[in-house]
């Protein structure tokens, strides 16, 4: 087969897809079966794949050791590799091995652990690179990160051939700005210093901004009140009492509730949050949605990630069918101790509600062997929205979600879980519905519970 014939076939070939395989090291590719698509892959006489695309997304790779060697074992012409998808792994840097594939035109690195924007400089040697993604990496936590200035222009300055960055097309204005940056040799750090100097303005200029500040405070007064109650007042009371808010709430429950009555305990927690200290809990409206769904689905086993003060735990436990089991995971031992007391005070024993103390990413791989949970018919994600996507993919990877399982995710709009929602809507394995509500005691701040129905592995 001539090289021209190979190019014509390879461009039309589906990718060699090793996504969602829980691959830890590149060497595992030689023993792992690729995913099957709608069209079968073609192979050469030597048994190697005739394709220019390699997908390794949604695995647990933290380095690319022996990448070139393994790729040469999988592809008939590895030097023609044009598309590499390494998104949603644990890579901390851009490995120089990627710069040896000079035909590379598409490189997906979003959802990794890359911390330095300067890693992009390594890709400048790739003459055909047209599409690059970096969003969802720790570099987003740097002050000022956004797909716009300054980092977008930094990337375009470094990689002038790129036409699509973070799934957004590069405009003529982007090119013009990048060219100005290139001539002025501007770096992102210097831009941030210039931005900071804006605060050294004269009192007259500062006074001119006063109407704008007042307008923002009026418009976002609900968020300002929430900030005061959840951060300022809570921190002050923590210092004065030496107790956390959930510990103070438990003391209030002990003196104002009836043991063995989960409904009365929930009402007492609501009263505490409304009239004493804001608890940042699910609230009665979301609680009723949760309880109704549990009653409708009648799951034999439920997994909750994020116990907190056991508020949502009690709603689930009340609605469990006879013989149902709830495993709830809380990472903070001090918070878990309070939740354990509230669960037992409500009358639920360990056979019905088992509380596990630990990080969700460490607990999920041990659920089957250590906690005898072979499947979770219903899952509630109520811990940290930025961890939702990672933990959902862990549940998929360890085959803990049966077809038809229900996954509920709280706070998907505030503070928000955009990557999680984007993934569930685009991967094709979930049907998604949003239950729109507001925060308890702050109905003007809109939020939603996402209800996902799992269709099974693709």
């Amino acid at each position: 087969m001539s090289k021209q014939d190979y190019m014509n076939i390879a461009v039309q070939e589906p990718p060699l897809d090793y996504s969602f395989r829980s691959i830890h090291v590149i060497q595992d590719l030689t023993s792992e079966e690729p995913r099957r698509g709608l069209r079968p892959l073609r192979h050469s006489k030597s048994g190697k794949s005739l394709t220019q695309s390699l997908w390794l997304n949604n695995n647990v790779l933290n380095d690319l050791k022996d990448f070139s060697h393994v790729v040469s074992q999988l592809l008939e012409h590895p030097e023609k590799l044009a598309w590499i998808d390494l998104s949603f792994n644990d890579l901390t840097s851009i490995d120089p091995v990627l710069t040896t594939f000079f035909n590379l035109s598409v490189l997906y690195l979003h959802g990794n652990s890359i911390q330095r924007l300067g890693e992009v400089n390594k890709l400048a040697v790739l003459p055909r690179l047209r599409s690059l993604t970096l969003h969802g990496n720790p570099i987003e936590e740097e002050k000022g990160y956004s797909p716009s200035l300054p980092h977008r222009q930094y990337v375009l300055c470094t990689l002038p051939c790129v036409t699509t960055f973070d799934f957004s097309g590069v405009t003529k204005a982007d090119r013009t700005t990048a060219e100005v940056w290139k001539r002025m040799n501007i770096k992102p750090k210097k831009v941030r210093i210039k931005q900071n100097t804006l605060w050294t303005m004269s009192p007259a200029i500062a006074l001119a901004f006063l109407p704008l500040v007042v307008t923002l405070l009026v418009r976002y007064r609900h968020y300002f009140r929430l900030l005061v109650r959840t951060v300022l007042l809570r921190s002050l009371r923590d210092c004065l009492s030496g107790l956390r808010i959930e510990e103070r709430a438990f003391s209030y429950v002990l003196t104002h509730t009836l043991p063995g009555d989960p409904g009365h305990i929930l009402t007492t927690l609501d009263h505490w949050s409304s009239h004493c200290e804001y608890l940042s809990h699910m609230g009665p409206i979301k609680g009723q949605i949760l309880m109704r769904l549990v009653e409708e689905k009648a799951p034999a086993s439920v997994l909750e990630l994020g116990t907190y003060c056991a508020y949502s735990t009690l709603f689930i436990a009340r609605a469990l069918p006879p013989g149902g089991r709830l495993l709830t995971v809380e990472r903070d031992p001090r918070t878990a101790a309070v939740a354990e007391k509230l669960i037992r005070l409500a009358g639920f024993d360990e056979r019905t509600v088992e509380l596990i103390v630990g990080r969700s990413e460490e607990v999920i791989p041990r659920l089957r062997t250590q906690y005898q949970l072979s499947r979770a018919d219903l899952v509630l994600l109520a811990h940290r929205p930025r961890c939702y996507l990672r933990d959902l993919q862990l549940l998929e990877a360890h085959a803990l979600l049966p077809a038809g399982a229900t996954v509920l995710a709280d706070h998907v709009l505030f503070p928000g879980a955009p990557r999680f929602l984007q993934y569930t809507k685009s991967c094709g394995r979930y049907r998604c519905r949003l239950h729109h509500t507001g925060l308890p005691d702050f109905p003007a701040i809109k939020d939603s519970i996402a209800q996902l129905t799992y269709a099974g592995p693709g």
Side-chain angles (χ1 to χ4, degrees), residues 167-387:
F167 300 118
S168 175
V170 178
T171 65
K172 185 177 180 179
D174 290 332
R175 291 290 181 203
T176 302
T177 308
E179 184 63 27
V180 172
W181 274 45
K182 188 174 183 179
R183 291 177 180 177
M184 296 177 63
N185 194 26
I186 297 177
K187 296 294 187 289
K189 185 175 181 181
K190 292 183 180 179
V191 170
R192 287 197 294 271
I193 293 174
K194 285 189 175 183
Q195 291 172 340
N196 290 337
T197 60
L198 291 175
W199 294 105
T200 62
M201 60 183 68
S202 67
I205 297 178
L207 187 61
F209 281 92
L210 184 58
L212 174 62
V213 173
V214 173
T215 301
L216 292 176
L217 287 176
V218 172
R219 183 174 181 178
Y220 298 104
R221 62 190 181 279
H222 306 290
Y223 298 91
F224 181 72
R225 286 179 53 233
L226 180 65
L227 174 67
V228 170
R229 293 188 66 180
T230 58
V231 179
L232 301 180
L233 293 179
R234 183 178 298 180
S235 299
L236 178 61
R237 286 165 175 156
D238 287 351
C239 293
L240 294 176
S241 66
L243 300 174
R244 293 184 178 180
I245 184 172
E246 57 268 19
E247 294 170 331
R248 297 193 294 274
F250 176 68
S251 299
Y252 182 85
V253 168
L254 277 180
T255 57
H256 293 82
T257 195
L258 299 174
D261 187 343
H264 195 249
I265 292 176
L266 290 169
T267 302
T268 305
L269 286 172
D270 289 330
H271 186 273
W272 160 267
S273 182
S274 298
H275 296 85
C276 300
E277 299 181 48
Y278 187 69
L279 197 54
S280 301
H281 63 320
M282 176 176 281
I285 297 178
K286 290 182 181 179
Q288 291 298 325
I289 295 174
L290 173 61
M291 190 166 68
R292 175 175 54 81
L293 289 174
V294 175
E295 291 173 346
E296 288 179 0
K297 305 298 179 181
S301 55
V302 179
L303 174 64
E304 178 187 32
L305 301 180
T307 314
Y308 188 43
C309 60
Y311 185 89
S312 55
T313 309
L314 297 184
F315 268 108
I316 297 173
R318 291 176 68 192
L320 280 177
R325 182 188 180 204
L326 167 61
L327 270 70
T328 179
V329 181
E330 173 55 48
R331 61 177 289 163
D332 186 84
R334 193 168 169 181
T335 304
V338 175
E340 180 87 27
K341 294 175 183 177
L342 282 167
I343 293 169
R344 305 311 167 211
L345 183 68
F348 298 108
D349 57 25
E350 292 185 354
R351 291 176 298 178
T352 303
V353 181
E354 182 177 354
L355 192 150
I356 304 169
V357 181
R359 295 176 177 270
S360 56
E361 69 271 24
E362 297 173 354
V363 172
I364 291 174
R366 296 187 279 116
L367 286 174
R368 189 182 301 274
T369 56
Q370 186 171 344
Y371 299 100
Q372 290 73 53
L373 181 69
S374 58
R375 52 183 284 169
D377 301 310
L378 187 144
V379 177
L380 173 63
L381 304 176
H383 48 325
R384 298 184 175 185
R386 63 186 178 88
C387 300

Side-chain angles (χ1 to χ4, degrees), residues 25-84:
V25 293
I26 289 295
Q27 292 85 344
D28 290 344
L29 296 180
T30 58
S31 59
E32 188 76 34
E33 284 293 324
R35 299 170 67 90
R36 295 183 179 180
L38 297 177
R39 292 185 295 124
L41 279 169
R42 294 187 183 184
H43 296 83
S44 65
K45 293 181 180 180
S46 62
K48 298 180 181 180
S49 176
L50 296 172
T51 183
Q52 289 181 314
S53 305
L54 178 61
W55 291 3
L56 300 171
N57 55 291
N58 298 87
N59 286 293
V60 283
L61 295 169
N62 53 32
D63 64 58
L64 299 181
K65 184 180 180 181
D66 294 331
F67 185 81
S68 294
H69 176 68
V70 172
V71 168
S72 65
Q73 292 179 302
L74 299 175
L75 303 181
E76 179 67 21
H77 294 283
E79 73 280 1
K80 298 297 182 181
L81 189 59
W83 185 346
I84 301 178

Side-chain angles (χ1 to χ4, degrees), residues 410-439:
D410 195 11
H411 298 304
V412 293
L413 292 188
F414 184 85
R419 290 175 55 205
F420 170 80
L421 289 178
Q422 181 184 13
Y423 169 77
T424 56
K425 292 178 181 179
S426 62
C427 71
R429 289 185 292 277
Y430 295 92
R431 295 197 313 271
C432 182
R433 175 188 176 188
L434 294 181
H435 298 273
H436 296 285
T437 65
L439 292 188

